[in-house]
């Protein structure tokens, strides 16, 4: 089993930055970030492989968000810059066993991930 705990959410003004962290009980080959706004479906926004060399981003965050991981600290991070009100959502980290899927669309698909954190709220005013 794998446990994940997110932190770092909060209230920030548009144009500001936040850094989310996800501590995982053990490293897995592929991890990702998802978000869900009220009344909307869960959206995959970033994915990273074990070595951190391969990352993938949704168009909605590309160029603004950076996904990274430090396996020595069992931590994955999401640096979020140039935040917009439409980024307001509950943010979740997730992990899967096995390599990241080959296609970006699959890497950002919630059903590809088995383990989930409880989420951290990000609000952009």
């Amino acid at each position: 089993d794998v446990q994940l705990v997110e932190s770092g959410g909060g209230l920030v003004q548009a144009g500001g930055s936040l850094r989310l962290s996800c501590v995982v009980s053990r490293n897995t080959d592929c991890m990702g970030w998802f978000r869900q706004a009220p009344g909307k479906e869960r959206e995959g926004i970033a994915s990273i492989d074990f070595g951190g060399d391969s990352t993938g981003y949704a168009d909605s965050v590309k160029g603004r968000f950076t996904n990274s991981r430090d396996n020595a600290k069992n931590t994955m991070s999401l640096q979020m810059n140039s935040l917009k009100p439409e980024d307001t959502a509950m943010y979740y980290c997730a992990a899967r066993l096995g390599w990241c899927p080959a296609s970006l669309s699959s890497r950002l698909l919630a059903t590809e991930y088995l383990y989930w954190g409880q989420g951290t709220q990000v609000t952009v005013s």
Side-chain angles (χ1 to χ4, degrees):
D1 202 9
V2 181
Q3 288 80 44
L4 304 96
V5 178
E6 305 95 336
S7 62
L11 174 64
V12 64
Q13 290 187 338
S17 298
L18 279 176
R19 186 177 181 86
L20 305 183
S21 293
C22 173
V23 177
V24 60
S25 60
R26 63 181 179 95
N27 293 309
T28 65
D29 293 320
C30 185
M31 298 181 68
W33 288 98
F34 293 76
R35 65 185 182 186
Q36 189 166 17
K40 295 188 176 181
E41 293 186 356
R42 189 165 295 191
E43 174 192 18
I45 58 173
S47 173
I48 189 167
D49 71 342
F50 182 84
D53 300 318
S54 175
T55 55
Y57 299 93
D59 288 342
S60 57
V61 305
K62 191 179 297 182
R64 299 188 298 123
F65 291 10
T66 302
N67 196 14
S68 61
R69 64 190 293 175
D70 184 341
N71 292 332
K73 297 181 179 179
N74 285 28
T75 300
M76 178 177 66
S77 299
L78 186 68
Q79 178 66 42
M80 305 187 296
N81 299 328
S82 303
L83 283 162
K84 307 173 182 179
E86 50 264 44
D87 294 318
T88 295
M90 184 70 79
Y91 282 70
Y92 301 89
C93 62
R96 58 172 271 142
L97 303 178
W99 304 113
C100 288
S103 70
L104 178 60
S105 58
S106 292
R107 289 179 71 160
L108 301 181
L109 197 60
T111 52
E112 291 288 341
Y113 295 80
L114 181 60
Y115 304 103
W116 293 83
Q118 294 299 307
T120 185
Q121 178 67 37
V122 172
T123 303
V124 185
S125 62

